Amino acid sequence: MQLKPQDFLVALKLVAWGEQRWTYARLAQELGLSASEAHASVKRGLQAGLLVDAALLAPPPAAAPGAQEAAAIYRVRAKSRRALAGAASNADNPARVHSRNLAEFAVHGAKYAFAPDRLPVAVGVPTSHSAPAFAGVFAPGSDDWVWPHPNGTARGQGLEPLHPSAPFAAMQDAKLYEMLALFDALRVGRARERGMALKRLPLLIYPDGPKPEERPMHG
C-alpha cells in the first residue's frame, strides 16, 4: 500500500467537514473524484492510520458489566472493522480523521511524499502565502504562487497542485483551501511562511494537540 496525493486531499476534506456526516457520493462530488477513487482513498487512509473506522468509535451498547457481555461487544465491533471493506459507495459517515496522526504526517511526511513541482509563470488560483486566507499577513509580491487554472484570478509562479482536482475543491471550501495553501507554504515557502504553516496547519487538523514551539524565523 502506497499513499497517493488524493488520499491526503480526502483526509483534509474530512478535517474541513468536522462533525458533519458524509457519504462517498458527496465526498467524490465535492473533490472532483469518482466514487471508486474516493472509496479507495478512504481505504488507504485507514490502512495508513490517517483515518479511523467510524464504527469503531461508536459507544458500545449499554449493558451490565460481565465477561460474556464484554466479549459480545468485542465481536460486534470486530465485525464492523471487517465490514468496512465492502461498504456501499453511499455508506453514511464511514470514517473519521485520526487527527494526531494526520497532523504529524502533514508537517513531517507529506511534503516529502508529495514533493512540489514548480511550473512556469501562469494565471491561476493563488496558493501558499498568496492565498486569500493570508491577505494582510504577507504583502503581495513577485514571488506569488498559483495553481495554473483557467478560472484563476492571479498571476504568479506556477505550482503543481497536490492533485489535479485540488483547485476545484479548494474553491468550494474555504477551510480546505486554507489547509492546502498552508501545505504548499511548507513545500515551497521561505522560512517565515514555513514557520507560519508549521504552527497553523497542525492546529487546524488537531486543535486539541500540543501547541507548536515558538521558533525564530530566518530568511
Side-chain angles (χ1 to χ4, degrees):
M1 191 276 297
Q2 182 177 358
L3 283 173
K4 299 182 178 182
Q6 61 264 37
D7 305 340
F8 187 44
L9 178 64
V10 163
L12 292 181
K13 181 63 177 180
L14 297 186
V15 172
W17 273 342
E19 297 298 320
Q20 294 183 46
R21 301 192 69 80
W22 57 274
T23 63
Y24 283 113
R26 181 187 173 198
L27 182 64
Q29 180 180 21
E30 295 202 17
L31 291 181
L33 303 173
S34 69
S36 61
E37 286 177 319
H39 194 282
S41 286
V42 170
K43 183 177 180 180
R44 287 189 294 268
L46 288 165
Q47 291 175 321
L50 303 181
L51 305 178
V52 180
D53 181 352
L56 300 180
L57 299 177
Q68 291 183 344
E69 290 160 346
I73 292 171
Y74 173 79
R75 287 196 297 272
V76 170
R77 291 164 68 83
K79 182 179 179 181
S80 297
R81 181 188 292 275
R82 293 194 301 271
L84 181 66
S89 61
N90 64 346
D92 187 34
N93 203 42
R96 301 289 293 274
V97 172
H98 192 305
S99 301
R100 183 186 62 204
N101 288 359
L102 182 60
E104 181 180 4
F105 177 69
V107 299
H108 297 300
K111 70 176 183 178
Y112 301 110
F114 313 125
D117 189 3
R118 291 167 172 78
L119 303 174
V121 172
V123 173
V125 178
T127 187
S128 186
H129 63 279
S130 309
F134 313 121
V137 178
F138 300 108
S142 59
D143 60 346
D144 288 341
W145 292 91
V146 301
W147 298 316
H149 195 276
N151 296 332
T153 59
R155 184 176 180 83
Q157 178 67 52
L159 179 65
E160 189 75 24
L162 172 66
H163 184 270
S165 68
F168 163 79
M171 287 187 284
Q172 320 302 316
D173 186 327
K175 185 170 182 180
L176 176 62
Y177 189 178
E178 181 177 2
M179 288 187 289
L180 289 170
L182 286 168
F183 176 60
D184 280 346
L186 284 177
R187 297 200 295 170
V188 299
R190 296 169 299 188
R192 187 182 175 203
E193 293 110 40
R194 292 196 307 271
M196 177 193 67
L198 282 170
K199 291 170 54 179
R200 197 161 176 172
L201 183 56
L203 291 177
L204 288 174
I205 297 172
Y206 188 24
D208 298 327
K211 302 301 181 283
E213 295 180 9
E214 295 287 343
R215 297 180 179 179
M217 311 276 179
H218 303 287

